[in-house]
Amino acid sequence: MKKEKITITVDGKEVAAYAGETILDAAKRAGIYIPTLCHHPLLSNTGACRMCVVKIEGTGRQNLNSSCTTPVNDGMVVTTESPEIKKMRRLNLELIFSERNHQCPFCEKSGNCELQAVAYRLGMDYVRFPFLWPKKEVDASHPDIIHDANRCMLCGRCVRSSEEVDKKGVFAIKGRGIDSDVTVNIDGRLGDTEVTKDDVAIQICPTGSLCEKGLAYSERYGERRFDMKPIEGPVEPK
Amino acid sequence: MATKKSKPIVATCWLAGCAGCHMSLLDIDERIVALSELVDFSVSPITDFKELPEVDIALIEGAVANEDNMEVLKDFRKKAKFLIAFGDCAIFGNLPAMRNAFTVKECLEEAFLDTESTVNPNGIIPTGEDVPKLLPKVLTVPQVVKTDYNLPGCPPDADAIWFLLTELLAGRVPEPTEIPYRDFKFD
Amino acid sequence: MSKKIEINPVTRVEGHGKVTIHLDDNGAVEDARLHIVEFRGFEKFVQGRPFWEMPTLSQRMCGICPVSHHLAAAKTCDALFSSKVPAGADKIRRMMHNGQVLQSHALHFFHLCAADFLLGFDSDPAQRNVIGLINADPELALKAVRLRKFGQEVIQFTGGKKIHPTGAIAGGVNAPVTDEARKYMRENVDQIIQWGIDGVEICLNYYKENVDLFNTFASFDTGYMGSVNEEGELQLYDGKLRGIDANGQIVFDQLPYENYLDEINEAVEDWSYMKFPFFKKLGYPEGSYRVGPLARFNIADSISTPEAGKYFDIFKEIANGKPVKGSLFYHFARLVEMLHATELIKEGLEDDDIQSTDLIHKGKMINEGVGIIEAPRGTLIHHYKVDDDGLLERCNLIVATTQNNVGMNSAVSTIAKSFIQPGKEITEGILNRIEVGIRCYDPCLSCATHAVGQMPLSVDIVDKQGNVVKQLVRD
């Protein structure tokens, strides 16, 4: 079935879009960067991280909306950059940083981390909220994978990819609100699951929470993915 | 005001940090000669911090881990026209703040009673009047005082430091995103 | 009425250390203490972290010689992975370490201490820093800056980054030296060696003019420890431990690093966050020892490179068969080590292994490992125990400055005793001397901020009731 072609306006520019697709996808095709973290093109969207919020004009909507979950309408007018939007993204980003122990200097994902790269791109120079410094578990029971909940941002990418792409359903979110955690088999250990390092769930973790063992610090400083080049979008699996 | 010819005064201090940010300042290498012509350094001003002079620019390295750090930082805030949280410990807590997931007591006992090479039959843990009291949780600089600028990095790259200082001395306050991308880093 | 004199040599503004001098009822020095007021809790908070994080994590304790922690941790990780580190990786790490020794020693001598020697112990403190040096002797100051710069560049070329590099990883290193970097270093290293010789000569001439000062200033008995190879030759990156007593008699020799606990323990005092290491056989405090350049020169029989070797022989002539006790000799030994490091960098650059791509080896993971290195300031010990998944259960660290704790305390006390006497006015001169005494040890806790500034001091003379009866301030 052929998708209906419509036109929307993004940042004053007319953009061709397909009915039913998200604002994010239409903007991306038009070469407009909208920061994302929980979104990944291989997965369903949940609008959890609020990085991709945009302003939609003329629809009576007052609030910012997540562009990864909002479908386009013909004639929609969207703003992706403004002081208000910048402020909201920055606020959300700082909340993410303050909730867990995202200390970059000695994290093995540093330089290849999407969370860090988005913070660079947004110029996050500090965090206004008090850091919570939770004490979270590190699960190194799997021979090839390490899971460090201290560095998790609860984006749910691992949960969705294990379910939707890897078809294993290894991960789940337990708990509520600020006490939520990614878990396997309800407080089980990764080593007891059928997850492998080649699973998409492991490959596309946007932080240092899920890492393949043995790769830590294996790239020279200055030659890592985001050392010299700003982030353009989610990382692809190998 | 118009006739004031003296050079801007720069002071720096080092709270709970590793000195790496200060070392990175030295990594401006030969440019230190040029810098010494542009500013007067009042680094680590005086023993009694109550006598810290009014300064134009203050660079604060390190997190706030004990009562001394707290007092010094507040004094710097009072005396500095433009206060910069300098590096990741000051801004994010970094390594010094890792003890926040534990109690102070747990940390002290591990270091002074439990480590393998330690022989401490009387169970002494330093608490004398000559050592400052540790804060229950390590704080970042922006959590304690208002900062005028935050320059992250572990340490901030020497080029980023040079860029920021020369901009400030030229009367401009750059947005973080104006710092060259390769030099605005968290590690 | 007994008094307490309080000095904050490492200014209050940094709040990392201070000195108190306790006088007896007659006004004579009873005791002197350097208080270390910093505490991190490192041994606790690394528990539960994966051990392979340690090379990047642990170096965040010290930004002045991060490479030392970086490499000591990497060596501990090698032990935990039963690694046979490939030759190329070993040589790249050695070069990184030599870059570190060069930059740290150059920083200490030129940026901090050269002013003491060139401008005098009693010169204007406002000028006794690198800026003062730039004003007084711009040519020398620029040499100093470039010497340190070269050391930092060597670290960057081998570790990816000047401060807190990431090059050394469990089992090896992550990248070879590039063609470009090797070419650059080769083009410059001879000039660096020459400047290294110039530095040693400055110190040697100063010694010749001040022989008595060197022999008497902060001179006291302790043991000494450092690393040597089987022939007793000084080793900076890897070797076996040798400890000698105050008379130069061997306490232990050829001690494999992993057995350090057989010979070393640490005591705790209530007035300092820094512990007090000692030789087990001799007990505490009798078995207190010093580490670092002077200690290494006292324990070693030879040094491998030609130019440094000449000066090492001069040192051994001065020593005349006994350990050298004077703290000022640390400067001489430090500069000869700096020269040694430049020569080792040159040797390394001629070895094609530094461009090898066989850089990592890992074997079977085990549960306990020790990694020791001779950091610029002295022997640095890392010791980890990990669970079967590789998460840290215990971590023990003994850093170089801690092992000089007793040395620094003795220096302060010796100086205090010779400058504070009953019935005599306590003058500001003592401030400079105590500062010079502590600086001999290049303690990490103090040098950073002073690199571009002054080290002002104040002395508070406090009576038993806590009243300040006299205050000396230098600002």
Side-chain angles (χ1 to χ4, degrees):
Chain A
M1 198 177 78
K2 216 172 169 215
K3 283 182 195 161
E4 186 196 346
K5 268 194 177 171
I6 57 172
T7 304
I8 63 169
T9 307
V10 183
D11 298 337
K13 205 166 82 178
E14 288 208 341
V15 168
Y18 299 103
E21 75 173 339
T22 64
I23 297 173
L24 179 69
D25 285 341
K28 197 190 290 173
R29 204 160 357 86
I32 295 165
Y33 172 75
I34 296 174
T36 56
L37 283 169
C38 67
H39 160 82
H40 196 283
L42 293 173
L43 310 176
S44 61
N45 288 308
T46 56
C49 75
R50 318 308 290 173
M51 270 312 106
C52 68
V53 290
V54 294
K55 183 94 180 166
I56 303 167
E57 318 280 343
T59 52
R61 296 176 197 242
Q62 293 302 309
N63 298 329
L64 302 181
N65 291 78
S66 53
S67 59
C68 73
T69 51
T70 310
V72 292
N73 285 331
D74 196 23
M76 193 180 240
V77 178
V78 178
T79 307
T80 72
E81 282 289 344
S82 75
E84 183 199 7
I85 292 167
K86 215 181 243 177
K87 201 176 140 192
M88 197 53 71
R89 286 177 185 160
R90 170 76 190 257
L91 198 95
N92 288 327
L93 191 60
E94 288 179 36
L95 282 167
I96 293 169
F97 268 85
S98 70
E99 277 184 8
R100 299 276 168 130
N101 305 320
H102 297 288
Q103 299 293 321
C104 301
F106 38 85
C107 176
E108 60 180 88
K109 206 61 162 288
S110 190
N112 293 316
C113 170
E114 280 187 47
L115 176 62
Q116 183 191 55
V118 167
Y120 291 160
R121 182 132 186 189
L122 269 51
M124 191 192 80
D125 60 336
Y126 84 113
V127 171
R128 78 197 73 176
F129 307 105
F131 290 88
L132 298 185
W133 297 107
K135 188 170 174 354
K136 294 287 181 184
E137 290 304 308
V138 179
D139 176 1
S141 59
H142 195 286
D144 302 320
I145 301 163
I146 182 159
H147 179 210
D148 184 350
N150 291 287
R151 293 168 178 163
C152 176
M153 56 160 286
L154 296 169
C155 66
R157 273 194 196 175
C158 55
V159 178
R160 282 174 285 144
S161 26
S162 188
E163 183 75 40
E164 298 167 16
V165 186
D166 303 325
K167 308 288 184 200
K168 292 180 182 174
V170 169
F171 298 96
I173 306 266
K174 64 160 186 177
R176 298 189 67 78
I178 211 160
D179 296 319
S180 306
D181 267 310
V182 166
T183 183
V184 296
N185 299 338
I186 317 227
D187 297 328
R189 286 153 59 88
L190 266 189
D192 301 326
T193 69
E194 51 179 320
V195 70
T196 75
K197 66 180 168 59
D198 298 319
D199 283 5
V200 171
I202 309 306
Q203 305 268 320
I204 63 171
C205 175
T207 71
S209 188
L210 284 165
C211 295
E212 183 178 334
K213 278 186 183 174
L215 294 184
Y217 321 104
S218 57
E219 289 164 278
R220 195 200 298 257
Y221 186 94
E223 293 173 3
R224 301 166 306 179
R225 192 177 180 112
F226 303 118
D227 278 340
M228 297 298 166
K229 272 203 344 249
I231 187 166
E232 299 290 345
V235 295
E236 308 83 33
K238 272 196 293 201
Chain B
M1 194 67 198
T3 53
K4 207 178 169 189
K5 278 277 186 220
S6 61
K7 291 189 269 184
I9 300 174
V10 176
T12 78
C13 80
W14 169 28
L15 307 174
C18 76
C21 300
H22 277 80
M23 292 298 105
S24 196
L25 174 61
L26 282 184
D27 279 341
I28 64 173
D29 298 325
E30 292 92 339
R31 289 172 287 185
I32 195 155
V33 178
L35 189 61
S36 73
E37 282 161 13
L38 291 173
V39 302
D40 277 330
F41 263 103
S42 166
V43 182
S44 55
I46 28 178
T47 318
D48 187 349
F49 49 82
K50 290 181 189 73
E51 294 176 41
L52 171 72
E54 301 270 322
V55 299
D56 296 286
I57 298 172
L59 291 157
I60 314 289
E61 172 182 343
V64 183
N66 64 36
E67 289 176 347
D68 271 14
N69 296 155
M70 180 71 91
E71 210 175 325
V72 170
L73 175 57
K74 287 182 174 165
D75 191 54
F76 260 81
R77 180 62 283 185
K78 247 180 260 162
K79 309 284 175 59
K81 287 195 192 113
F82 195 88
L83 184 140
I84 302 167
F86 185 35
D88 281 356
C89 296
I91 297 171
F92 300 117
N94 199 3
L95 181 134
M98 277 184 79
R99 77 162 160 87
N100 286 354
F102 300 86
T103 64
V104 171
K105 190 165 172 276
E106 284 175 302
C107 295
L108 287 169
E109 285 177 357
E110 180 69 23
F112 296 108
L113 301 180
D114 299 340
T115 39
E116 256 176 298
S117 49
T118 304
V119 179
N120 191 358
N122 300 322
I124 298 168
I125 288 183
T127 50
E129 58 177 85
D130 294 315
V131 290
K133 224 177 132 208
L134 300 168
L135 300 177
K137 298 286 173 203
V138 175
L139 302 170
T140 65
V141 168
Q143 277 179 273
V144 178
V145 299
K146 182 190 166 294
T147 59
D148 300 300
Y149 207 86
N150 306 289
L151 185 63
C154 188
D157 191 274
D159 288 339
I161 300 170
W162 178 251
F163 173 80
L164 176 61
L165 288 177
T166 49
E167 284 290 292
L168 292 176
L169 292 170
R172 291 185 292 268
V173 181
E175 288 291 321
T177 45
E178 289 178 70
I179 295 170
Y181 179 82
R182 53 167 293 166
D183 298 330
F184 184 85
K185 289 286 173 294
F186 295 162
D187 66 351
Chain C
M1 186 183 69
S2 74
K3 289 174 180 168
K4 188 167 96 173
I5 302 175
E6 191 172 292
I7 303 176
N8 279 330
V10 217
T11 78
R12 285 290 293 238
V13 177
E14 302 150 41
H16 295 232
K18 66 174 178 176
V19 172
T20 56
I21 297 170
H22 300 260
L23 306 184
D24 65 14
D25 290 345
N26 301 320
V29 175
E30 200 172 56
D31 195 10
R33 293 166 173 179
L34 172 68
H35 307 271
I36 301 305
V37 298
E38 279 287 296
F39 177 74
R40 293 270 181 276
F42 193 86
E43 295 92 338
K44 187 72 198 176
F45 66 61
V46 297
Q47 290 176 3
R49 300 302 314 162
F51 73 79
W52 49 88
E53 260 180 27
M54 290 298 271
T56 50
L57 201 168
S58 66
Q59 63 179 333
R60 261 77 195 186
M61 279 185 293
C62 177
I64 299 161
C65 60
V67 170
S68 310
H69 284 290
H70 185 56
L71 293 175
K75 287 172 76 172
T76 316
C77 293
D78 299 343
L80 287 165
F81 272 133
S82 315
S83 302
K84 292 182 185 72
V85 176
D90 182 72
K91 286 167 187 172
I92 291 167
R93 285 187 188 179
R94 282 172 190 270
M95 186 171 287
M96 197 193 308
H97 188 50
N98 290 323
Q100 169 76 349
V101 172
L102 166 57
Q103 78 84 13
S104 175
H105 283 354
L107 172 83
H108 181 257
F109 185 74
F110 290 102
H111 293 62
L112 297 175
C113 298
D116 286 342
F117 294 99
L118 299 172
L119 308 176
F121 285 5
D122 293 313
S123 63
D124 176 6
Q127 291 299 314
R128 291 173 61 243
N129 54 51
V130 72
I131 307 282
L133 192 63
I134 289 169
N135 296 334
D137 191 340
E139 200 188 329
L140 180 70
L142 267 181
K143 264 188 211 175
V145 165
R146 287 178 182 145
L147 263 172
R148 175 173 180 277
K149 181 184 176 184
F150 187 77
Q152 291 288 77
E153 285 169 338
V154 171
I155 296 169
Q156 182 164 21
F157 294 144
T158 49
K161 192 164 172 265
K162 287 179 175 174
I163 298 166
H164 302 321
T166 61
I169 56 178
V173 299
N174 65 9
V177 174
T178 65
D179 289 339
E180 240 182 320
R182 188 175 178 189
K183 180 167 173 282
Y184 171 88
M185 290 189 279
R186 278 169 120 166
E187 281 166 7
N188 287 280
V189 71
D190 287 321
Q191 178 64 76
I192 296 298
I193 291 172
Q194 185 53 50
W195 287 343
I197 294 171
D198 296 348
V200 180
E201 284 292 332
I202 289 172
C203 191
L204 186 58
N205 287 332
Y206 188 80
Y207 163 72
K208 285 175 182 163
E209 290 159 13
N210 299 278
V211 174
D212 283 350
L213 179 72
F214 270 69
N215 288 332
T216 56
F217 185 83
S219 175
F220 47 86
D221 284 332
T222 61
Y224 303 91
M225 188 176 78
S227 297
V228 290
N229 68 7
E230 275 133 37
E231 284 80 48
E233 190 181 86
L234 180 138
Q235 297 295 309
L236 293 174
Y237 178 75
D238 199 47
K240 301 268 167 59
L241 290 173
R242 175 185 280 179
I244 61 171
D245 67 13
N247 297 314
Q249 300 302 308
I250 295 280
V251 180
F252 51 88
D253 199 2
Q254 298 300 320
L255 179 72
Y257 285 157
E258 59 270 25
N259 298 344
Y260 78 100
L261 281 170
D262 293 349
E263 301 290 349
I264 298 165
N265 273 164
E266 293 176 284
V268 178
E269 299 276 8
D270 136 277
W271 44 267
S272 181
Y273 284 132
M274 196 149 85
K275 290 186 272 191
F276 294 80
F278 59 94
F279 291 155
K280 252 167 125 168
K281 268 186 201 130
L282 306 180
Y284 177 75
E286 293 75 16
S288 299
Y289 60 95
R290 289 183 265 178
V291 295
L294 178 65
R296 287 191 283 252
F297 275 40
N298 277 332
I299 62 113
D301 303 320
S302 62
I303 193 166
S304 70
T305 57
E307 294 298 331
K310 289 180 203 163
Y311 294 105
F312 185 84
D313 293 344
I314 294 174
F315 176 90
K316 286 295 180 187
E317 274 168 40
I318 295 168
N320 198 20
K322 288 273 186 188
V324 173
K325 304 194 282 189
S327 298
L328 285 174
F329 283 103
Y330 264 96
H331 293 298
F332 182 69
R334 185 174 291 123
L335 284 161
V336 179
E337 279 190 355
M338 180 184 81
L339 174 60
H340 179 53
T342 63
E343 293 182 278
L344 289 175
I345 291 168
K346 182 173 174 163
E347 277 178 20
L349 286 169
E350 297 312 311
D351 191 330
D352 289 338
D353 281 351
I354 61 170
Q355 297 198 275
S356 157
T357 48
D358 174 21
L359 295 173
I360 298 175
H361 173 269
K362 284 180 199 164
K364 186 181 173 296
M365 200 181 89
I366 55 172
N367 297 100
E368 185 168 359
V370 174
I372 296 186
I373 197 165
E374 288 294 327
R377 285 152 193 81
T379 316
L380 168 64
I381 302 169
H382 279 221
H383 178 191
Y384 318 146
K385 287 184 180 174
V386 303
D387 67 16
D388 292 341
D389 293 341
L391 302 182
L392 283 156
E393 288 181 329
R394 300 303 293 277
C395 165
N396 192 31
L397 303 177
I398 306 179
V399 305
T401 297
T402 302
Q403 294 168 91
N404 282 327
N405 202 352
V406 168
M408 289 188 289
N409 273 287
S410 302
V412 170
S413 146
T414 312
I415 295 161
K417 281 176 183 158
S418 49
F419 285 89
I420 299 175
Q421 272 138 24
K424 278 176 82 177
E425 178 84 356
I426 299 169
T427 66
E428 278 184 72
I430 189 174
L431 303 174
N432 287 348
R433 266 64 184 187
I434 287 178
E435 173 183 334
V436 169
I438 294 173
R439 273 196 179 161
C440 291
Y441 297 86
D442 187 11
C444 293
L445 56 109
S446 76
C447 57
T449 316
H450 302 134
V452 287
Q454 61 205 53
M455 191 198 238
L457 298 173
S458 83
V459 179
D460 285 354
I461 304 170
V462 185
D463 66 18
K464 230 172 188 171
Q465 284 71 42
N467 305 313
V468 177
V469 294
K470 185 178 167 72
Q471 189 170 47
L472 296 170
V473 180
R474 191 188 67 200
D475 56 21

